[in-house]
Amino acid sequence: HPTSCCSAAEIMAVLFFHTMRYKSQDPRNPHNDRFVLSKGHAAPILYAVWAEAGFLPEAELLNLRKISSDLDGHPVPKQAFTDVATGSLGQGLGAACGMAYTGKYFDKASYRVYCMLGDGELSEGSVWEAMAFASIYKLDNLVAILDINRLGQSDPAPLQHQVDIYQKRCEAFGWHAIIVDGHSVEELCKAFGQAKHQPTAIIAKTFKGRGITGVEDKESWHGKPLPKNMADQVIQEIFSQIQSKKKIMATPPQEDAPSVDITNIRMPTPPSYKVGDKIATRKAYGQALAKLGHASDRIVALDGDTKNSTFSEFFKKEHPDRFIECYIAEQNMVSIAVGCATRNRTVPFCSTFAAFFTRAFDQIRMAAISESNINLCGSHCGVSIGEDGPSQMALEDLAMFRSIPSSTVFYPSDGVATEKAVELAANTKGICFIRTSRPENAIIYNNNEDFQVGQAKVVLKSKDDHVTVIGAGVTLHEALAAAELLKKEKINIRVLDPFTIKPLDRKLILDSARATKGRILTVEDHYYEGGIGEAVSTAVVGEPGVTVTRLAVAQVPRSGKPAELLKMFGIDKDAIAQAVRSLVAKA
C-alpha cells in the first residue's frame, strides 16, 4: 500500500520525531505515548518509522509480508510497537479512547494517545461512537489525525477533499478540530502543539501517493506496489529531496505511570451462598464482580446502559471510579475494553445482554487478533428470559464465542459457579465470555467447591445410570427436575454441568457416556447450531458406541412466560424426560 503510506509520511515524521515522547528501544514502556494506526493497511510506514527510530533493522523492512517475518501486511501485537491489531477499518479510535481513558482516569499519567485514521474508514459508525465517547469523557490526552487523502480503495471517499465538512462533524461531536496541510511539517508541528481541554482532531488534507510522479492523487493505485523501473526512479527522486542526514532521536517520556501487577487476582473471601437458595446468575455476576473489585484496583467494569439488568451496577456502587458507562454503543464498548487492557494496565469486564454482543463480533474477532485479555459477560441468554421476545434473547452467542481463537466460554449454572467463573476469567488469558441467565435458580454447589477451566461437574449420579444428560444454566436445573420425574419410573440419569463450553471436559463426558451405555443427551437454551450439542458432538466424534441426541431451540422464538417457552421449544424437564424414555426404549 505505498500510496496510503505516502499521504501520511509527513504526519508520521512529525509525530514520531517531534511530538511523541517514548523510549525507542522499549516500545511497550508504560510511560510512553501511545500510537494507534487505525488505517492498518499503511503498516509499511509504521514499520519504517520504527526502523528510523532504531528499533527495527532497516534490512528487515524488505521482509514485509513474508511468512518468515513479523512484519505482517497489517499491524499485529507480535510486533512490540503494536498494541492493538488493526486492518478491519473503523476500530482504531475506540481502542485509542480506551488507552486515553486509562491514562487519564486510572493511571493518572502524562502519556498521550495518538490515533491516525484514513478518510475511507470515517464511513464506519464505530468511529463516531468513539468520537462521542471521547467527548463525553473529555479525553484531552487524545489526538486523532484524519488523513484526508481523498481516495478510497475502489472509488473516491464520499466527501473527497471537503475538509471543512469533516471539521464541522468533529466539532459537532465535541472535538477541537484543526485543518492543516498534511504535507507541511511546520503546520503539523504547530497543530500538535495546541493543548485543549477536549480531544483534538487534526484534519490533514493530503494526497494519496504524494511524491510519486504519475501516481499522486490518481485512482486505481490502492494496494499496488510500483513496477520496478518506476519504483527505482521514484526512490531516486525522493532521495534527491533529503536536505539533512542528521539522525533525529526520539524524546524520552515523563516517567509517571504507576507500576501495576494484574497477576493472580483472588477473591478476598469464598462465596457465601446457601444450597437451595435461589439467585439468578446475572445477579451473582454483579455481586462477584463488585467483590473482585476489592481484590485489585485494576479490575474495571464497562457496561452499555444495562447495568441494572446485568447487575454491574453493584460494581459501580462500590467502585465508582473504575466503572465506565459506555452507553448504547456495544461495538465501541468492546474497543474501549481492548484499549484499557493494553500493556497490562487493567483487567476489564464488559457487560450487556448477550444478544447485543453479536453486533460487536468484528471487534471481538479483532480483539483476539490483538491478543487482548478482555472479559465479556452476556446476560439474558435464551428463551428463558420470557416476555421480552426474540430480539433480546441470545441464542447464537455460544456459537459466536466458541468460534473465536483463544476464547474461554463460561456457562455457570448457579451463584457459586458464577463467582468462580468471574475469578477465573480475571486470571485467564485471551477472550473470556461468561453467559448468565435471567431466571432465579437454586444454588447446587457448596461454597468450597473447586472450579477450574475445562473441568465439568457430575451433579447427579448413581451406579446404574441409563443416560448422561448435559445441560447448563436453566437447562441443568430442568435436567435435575427431569431426573426426579424419571426416578419414579426407575430410570436413573447422570447429570453433567460442563461449566466451560470451551474448553470442554472431554474426558469426564466420555467416562460418563461409557458408564451410561454410550448414550448422551444434550439440552440447551440456544439454537442447535454451534452450541453445547455441537461442542459435545465434536468432542466425542469417532468414539465407538457413543451417540449424542440433542435438544435445542429450533426456530425464532416469541414472547411468553419462561416456562411456556421452555416447553414450546422442547427444552424443559418434560421434554428431557421424554427424550430419555425414547433412548432407553430404543435399547
Side-chain angles (χ1 to χ4, degrees):
H1 293 88
T3 57
S4 304
C5 293
C6 289
S7 67
E10 289 86 359
I11 296 168
M12 294 293 275
V14 170
L15 265 176
F16 278 82
F17 302 104
H18 171 267
T19 304
M20 281 170 56
R21 308 282 182 260
Y22 61 101
K23 296 185 175 183
S24 58
Q25 292 307 310
D26 184 10
R28 286 219 171 109
N29 190 289
H31 309 294
N32 287 354
D33 284 349
R34 314 312 199 229
F35 176 74
V36 178
L37 182 66
S38 191
K39 51 175 255 175
H41 50 282
I45 199 162
L46 179 66
Y47 305 157
V49 156
W50 283 100
E52 184 66 27
F55 182 75
L56 283 176
E58 211 168 294
E60 180 59 21
L61 298 179
L62 296 176
N63 293 323
L64 175 73
R65 292 172 168 245
K66 289 182 182 167
I67 200 163
S68 55
S69 169
D70 281 348
L71 302 184
D72 274 19
H74 290 76
V76 284
K78 63 184 170 186
Q79 304 145 358
F81 47 81
T82 297
D83 285 303
V84 291
T86 52
S88 184
L89 291 172
Q91 296 191 26
L93 189 59
C97 283
M99 295 176 191
Y101 192 101
T102 298
K104 181 169 181 168
Y105 295 108
F106 303 145
D107 285 345
K108 298 181 172 60
S110 54
Y111 64 79
R112 296 174 66 76
V113 182
Y114 299 87
C115 177
M116 183 156 69
L117 300 91
D119 49 357
E121 66 181 309
L122 299 178
S123 293
E124 289 281 5
S126 54
V127 171
W128 300 97
E129 289 183 11
M131 293 287 279
F133 179 94
S135 163
I136 291 161
Y137 291 109
K138 297 186 169 49
L139 301 181
D140 50 1
N141 55 346
L142 174 65
V143 179
I145 306 100
L146 314 187
D147 180 12
I148 310 297
N149 67 19
R150 193 181 75 81
L151 298 173
Q153 177 172 323
S154 65
D155 254 329
L159 295 178
Q160 300 205 31
H161 269 146
Q162 296 179 70
V163 285
D164 54 324
I165 298 180
Y166 286 114
Q167 183 180 37
K168 286 190 186 112
R169 287 184 180 180
C170 292
E171 286 172 350
F173 272 79
W175 286 55
H176 173 59
I178 316 164
I179 294 171
V180 297
D181 171 355
H183 299 301
S184 163
V185 168
E186 290 80 5
E187 281 191 39
L188 287 163
C189 288
K190 198 172 152 197
F192 282 123
Q194 290 189 25
K196 294 282 170 188
H197 297 299
Q198 64 194 121
T200 297
I202 294 183
I203 298 154
K205 182 183 175 182
T206 62
F207 292 94
K208 201 159 179 173
R210 174 70 162 190
I212 305 178
T213 310
V215 171
E216 182 175 324
D217 203 32
K218 296 276 191 293
E219 288 188 49
S220 304
W221 278 99
H222 182 91
K224 289 181 184 171
L226 304 182
K228 182 152 183 11
N229 58 342
M230 196 174 173
D232 291 342
Q233 186 192 331
V234 168
I235 289 165
Q236 276 187 328
E237 279 177 31
I238 291 171
F239 263 109
S240 71
Q241 293 170 34
I242 294 174
Q243 291 166 25
S244 163
K245 293 256 171 69
K246 194 176 128 232
K247 193 101 179 130
I248 302 176
M249 306 308 288
T251 311
Q254 200 176 322
E255 303 201 7
D256 58 1
S259 63
V260 168
D261 179 13
I262 57 164
T263 57
N264 199 29
I265 299 171
R266 299 295 162 202
M267 285 287 183
T269 54
S272 54
Y273 291 105
K274 218 162 97 206
V275 171
D277 282 359
K278 288 193 163 187
I279 187 171
T281 53
R282 63 175 176 143
K283 191 171 184 180
Y285 166 78
Q287 292 178 354
L289 190 59
K291 188 170 166 181
L292 194 67
H294 293 289
S296 166
D297 64 359
R298 288 284 147 169
I299 299 285
V300 301
L302 303 84
D303 203 294
D305 191 36
T306 56
K307 58 185 174 288
N308 52 351
S309 286
T310 61
F311 287 100
S312 66
E313 66 181 3
F314 294 160
F315 184 94
K316 184 184 180 183
K317 198 175 165 199
E318 293 185 32
H319 318 282
D321 297 345
R322 286 185 271 137
F323 181 86
I324 310 176
E325 178 54 74
C326 297
Y327 301 99
I328 302 166
E330 292 86 4
Q331 297 180 66
N332 190 58
M333 176 171 71
V334 172
S335 291
I336 298 294
V338 169
C340 289
T342 56
R343 304 195 190 188
N344 295 325
R345 303 309 293 168
T346 71
V347 179
F349 280 82
C350 279
S351 49
T352 184
F353 286 21
F356 305 151
F357 277 124
T358 58
R359 77 188 312 147
F361 186 40
D362 190 19
Q363 278 73 9
I364 295 163
R365 174 186 81 94
M366 289 302 294
I369 297 170
S370 292
E371 298 172 25
S372 187
N373 297 312
I374 59 169
N375 307 295
L376 310 172
C377 176
S379 70
H380 292 67
C381 66
V383 299
S384 57
I385 72 162
E387 288 87 346
D388 263 355
S391 69
Q392 314 298 294
M393 296 169 174
L395 288 158
E396 51 287 286
D397 53 316
L398 292 177
M400 180 171 91
F401 281 100
R402 281 182 61 228
S403 73
I404 296 288
S406 81
S407 69
T408 304
V409 179
F410 294 91
Y411 193 174
S413 296
D414 79 345
V416 175
T418 306
E419 190 166 312
K420 297 291 188 175
V422 168
E423 182 181 50
L424 287 166
N427 297 286
T428 301
K429 282 203 171 311
I431 313 297
C432 290
F433 176 59
I434 303 171
R435 188 179 209 231
T436 64
S437 307
R438 190 165 187 261
E440 293 187 345
N441 284 122
I443 299 292
I444 53 174
Y445 293 110
N446 291 313
N447 291 315
N448 59 358
E449 183 76 36
D450 178 58
F451 284 85
Q452 297 298 332
V453 171
Q455 214 173 79
K457 299 280 178 194
V458 178
V459 184
L460 188 69
K461 71 183 278 193
S462 71
K463 58 182 187 300
D464 61 340
D465 291 328
H466 294 79
V467 179
T468 294
V469 179
I470 302 173
V474 294
T475 62
L476 182 75
H477 295 273
E478 292 294 324
L480 291 171
E484 289 298 311
L485 295 175
L486 291 162
K487 214 189 225 165
K488 296 167 188 161
E489 302 164 36
K490 307 244 182 319
I491 300 173
N492 291 327
I493 59 173
R494 185 161 300 193
V495 179
L496 255 59
D497 169 9
F499 182 58
T500 54
I501 312 303
K502 179 186 175 185
L504 204 59
D505 190 342
R506 182 172 181 270
K507 184 183 181 304
L508 185 66
I509 289 169
L510 278 174
D511 288 349
S512 301
R514 290 190 185 112
T516 57
K517 305 187 175 59
R519 295 186 288 242
I520 298 174
L521 173 67
T522 64
V523 54
E524 59 192 302
D525 197 356
H526 187 274
Y527 289 136
Y528 275 93
E529 293 75 15
I532 297 170
E534 284 200 356
V536 170
S537 299
T538 303
V540 303
V541 72
E543 285 294 323
V546 175
T547 58
V548 180
T549 306
R550 300 185 295 148
L551 299 178
V553 179
Q555 69 229 51
V556 175
R558 55 188 297 161
S559 291
K561 289 189 163 52
E564 294 173 330
L565 289 160
L566 292 174
K567 190 170 201 65
M568 176 182 264
F569 292 100
I571 54 170
D572 69 343
K573 62 182 181 191
D574 294 327
I576 295 167
Q578 192 46 48
V580 168
R581 287 184 201 108
S582 299
L583 287 169
V584 173
K586 266 186 203 162

